[in-house]
Amino acid sequence: MTVTLSATLAANEDIERRRRAGERVLHLAFGEAGLPVHPALRDRLAAASERNGYGPVAGASELRAAAAGYWTRRGLTTDPELVVCGPGSKSLLYGLLLAIGGDVVLPMPSWVSYAAQADLVGSRPILVPAPPGQGGVPDPDLVAAAVRRARAEGRTVSSVLVTLPDNPTGRLAPPATVAHLVAVARELDLTIISDEIYRDLVHDPALPYTSPADLAPERTIITTGLSKSLALGGWRIGVARLPENGHALRRQLLAVASEIWSAPAAPVQEAAAYAFGDHPELIERIDRSRRLHGLVAHEVRERFIEIGADVPMPQGGFYLYPDLSHLRLGGSAEITKILLENHGIGVLPGHAFGDDPSAARVRVAVSLLYGDSPEERLTALNSSDPLRLPWIADNLDYLSLGLGALSPLRRETVAERRPALVPAPCHG
């Protein structure tokens, strides 16, 4: 088996290499939250630094209880015994695919690691498009047809994976689509794996949110972590909520975990237990993060729309999925290369997410636009008008210049459309 470096990590390394060589590259290719660690979490990590024992494979009881409380407060009563912790939700997803077995249905497009992990565990992913204008949940009717067809060929199809809200599209599947998929999963006896790591970063808190676990707790696994909502990607901590009566699955998952990661890092678990407690200062931090991600994502969308791109409105996280096919510059690989090498804009090609390579769709992550230093990022987080901060405005205008050079459809120059820039006040 040939294993290649994750497309996201490969792009990140390439862009950093170009930057070290003196090139200016606008980094829109990496899904990092781009914000500082909250001091309360930093303090708890430091206080727990002497904890150097392995601990239980399932995770510390304090962390499992805190995660159970997190879900219970969101309407999903959770038994801590059915919570398993790992070094990031990515590791847990890999362990779950191994523990469940069989082939998995994935939305198309979907996060680059889903199909790659399926390949690693010997599962054959079945890619099914999301309904038009949606993302993260494969079209339920197409799922039913694809699963029946695969089973008729002798394949074992055991699970379907969804992302709420989605990476790469930034869209949140509506409750009706989730309910339809749940009905199909029940009919076909599929386990649902619901990656909800962006749940707390839905831009509009009033937007209806339905987890498959709300409707089918007996067959739904939820994974989440702290890398997006609280920007703790480098701490590597995630949690999984197993289905009701999921004790056999728990034993399988712990057997896998015991041979791969043994246990999550003990000091990180202690900080994570506090993070999952929904304490007021962390709720405020997440609220500010949600607002910043939404403001910048919507502004970046406007810059793509200026050149005639088709860009679904982002609803959560910090991603956009523009379609630049109207430029007729080639497919996703070609447009990604042109943006990087000719205009200093780093994005990920849609084909890395399982999309049609001939379509010029790209994944754009806006979260590294907030600043190059912790001070700049914190200022952006606390600003009443982050789009007018000089470094963010400069990044946005650099983006507009690069995009404008691609297309004669651009309606205004940067100088004509941008007001004079002044530093925004920092609040909080």
Side-chain angles (χ1 to χ4, degrees), residues 160-176:
V160 57
L161 194 154
V162 303
T163 315
L164 302 166
D166 183 39
N167 170 15
T169 66
R171 301 288 292 172
L172 177 63

Side-chain angles (χ1 to χ4, degrees), residues 10-285:
N12 185 58
E13 291 184 7
D14 182 33
I15 289 171
E16 290 304 323
R17 187 165 51 248
R18 290 171 180 271
R19 285 177 157 183
R20 288 193 299 271
E23 293 183 41
R24 180 174 183 182
V25 180
L26 199 62
H27 199 341
L28 302 173
F30 199 38
E32 189 166 279
L35 293 169
V37 177
H38 194 284
L41 299 175
R42 208 167 52 230
D43 292 346
R44 276 160 179 80
L45 182 68
S49 61
E50 291 187 356
R51 292 186 57 187
N52 61 350
Y54 284 112
V57 177
S61 59
E62 297 84 358
L63 175 52
R64 289 187 288 107
Y70 166 89
W71 278 304
T72 298
R73 287 187 294 276
R74 286 155 180 77
L76 294 168
T77 301
T78 302
D79 179 357
E81 288 301 308
L82 290 174
V83 174
V84 175
C85 312
S89 62
K90 187 173 185 176
S91 300
L92 287 166
L93 285 164
Y94 179 78
L96 286 163
L97 290 174
L98 268 174
I100 294 168
D103 293 342
V104 59
V105 179
L106 302 176
M108 186 177 72
S110 57
W111 182 43
V112 297
S113 289
Y114 296 147
Q117 287 190 350
D119 289 337
L120 285 172
V121 304
S123 171
R124 293 168 60 190
I126 300 171
L127 299 178
V128 175
Q134 300 183 29
V137 175
D139 187 303
D141 291 327
L142 298 180
V143 168
V147 171
R148 291 192 179 100
R149 186 164 53 249
R151 287 176 174 172
E153 297 169 355
R155 295 169 62 179
T156 299
V157 185
S158 305
S159 59
V160 57
L161 194 154
V162 303
T163 315
L164 302 166
D166 183 39
N167 170 15
T169 66
R171 301 288 292 172
L172 177 63
T177 299
V178 175
H180 191 180
L181 182 73
V182 164
V184 169
R186 276 207 177 101
E187 180 186 353
L188 299 176
D189 193 23
L190 297 172
T191 297
I192 303 170
I193 305 171
S194 187
D195 182 349
E196 301 185 12
I197 199 163
Y198 297 96
R199 173 172 184 158
D200 292 340
L201 294 180
V202 175
H203 300 159
D204 180 1
L207 193 65
Y209 187 102
T210 298
S211 168
D214 291 317
L215 307 175
E218 81 286 354
R219 65 180 60 252
T220 300
I221 302 162
I222 301 177
T223 62
T224 192
L226 302 172
S227 60
K228 310 304 179 183
S229 61
L230 286 166
L232 299 181
W235 289 19
R236 308 312 303 139
I237 192 73
V239 290
R241 179 189 187 272
L242 304 184
E244 292 178 350
N245 303 314
H247 299 284
L249 175 60
R250 180 182 188 272
R251 287 191 294 272
Q252 283 293 108
L253 179 57
L254 292 184
V256 170
S258 71
E259 301 296 351
I260 298 179
W261 62 78
S262 299
V268 175
Q269 289 189 73
E270 189 155 317
Y274 187 81
F276 279 113
D278 287 331
H279 297 280
E281 72 275 22
L282 299 184
I283 291 174
E284 181 188 23
R285 167 58 67 91

Side-chain angles (χ1 to χ4, degrees), residues 330-402:
S332 63
E334 290 80 8
I335 195 70
T336 298
K337 183 177 181 181
I338 290 169
L339 284 169
L340 178 60
E341 296 186 355
N342 296 355
H343 305 288
I345 299 170
V347 298
L348 283 183
H351 73 260
F353 299 87
D355 206 347
D356 178 358
S358 68
R361 287 186 282 268
V362 298
R363 203 284 304 272
V364 174
V366 306
S367 47
L368 295 185
L369 298 178
Y370 307 153
D372 293 329
S373 68
E375 293 76 19
E376 287 184 347
R377 295 165 187 158
L378 189 61
T379 298
L381 184 69
N382 294 327
S383 173
S384 62
D385 190 3
L387 300 178
R388 291 177 63 84
L389 292 171
W391 56 91
I392 293 180
D394 179 60
N395 283 332
L396 292 170
D397 288 342
Y398 183 82
L399 173 64
S400 284
L401 284 171

